[in-house]
Amino acid sequence: LFLNDWSHETTNGIHESAQTNGLQTLDIGLINGTNTFDGVGERFTIDTVAGEKYRVRLANGAIDSHF
């Protein structure tokens, strides 16, 4: 599962702002590219079977978030 932070601002806008104000906290976190923002989108779901074992690997692809 990939964990990412997300901004609705362009990379150029974030870069210019970071030069003067420092790095900002981004708008939202994503799990495998999914989440909701202002009522739009969907949350991450996964189907599992009772009694089965699953290995979950997390990869932090975020710019400035520690998950």
Side-chain angles (χ1 to χ4, degrees):
L1 300 176
F2 286 95
L3 305 176
N4 296 82
D5 45 10
W6 181 262
S7 178
H8 296 279
E9 191 176 343
T10 64
T11 340
N12 290 335
I14 292 171
H15 178 71
E16 289 177 20
S17 173
Q19 296 299 309
T20 55
N21 304 321
L23 196 55
Q24 65 186 19
T25 302
L26 298 184
D27 298 325
I28 193 169
L30 303 177
I31 301 174
N32 257 21
T34 61
N35 205 344
T36 60
F37 186 80
D38 285 342
V40 178
E42 60 185 53
R43 296 200 184 269
F44 174 76
T45 60
I46 188 168
D47 294 326
T48 59
V49 177
E52 293 288 321
K53 293 182 181 180
Y54 297 91
R55 178 182 294 184
V56 177
R57 295 182 180 182
L58 302 176
N60 183 9
I63 293 173
D64 190 46
S65 294
H66 304 283
F67 293 103

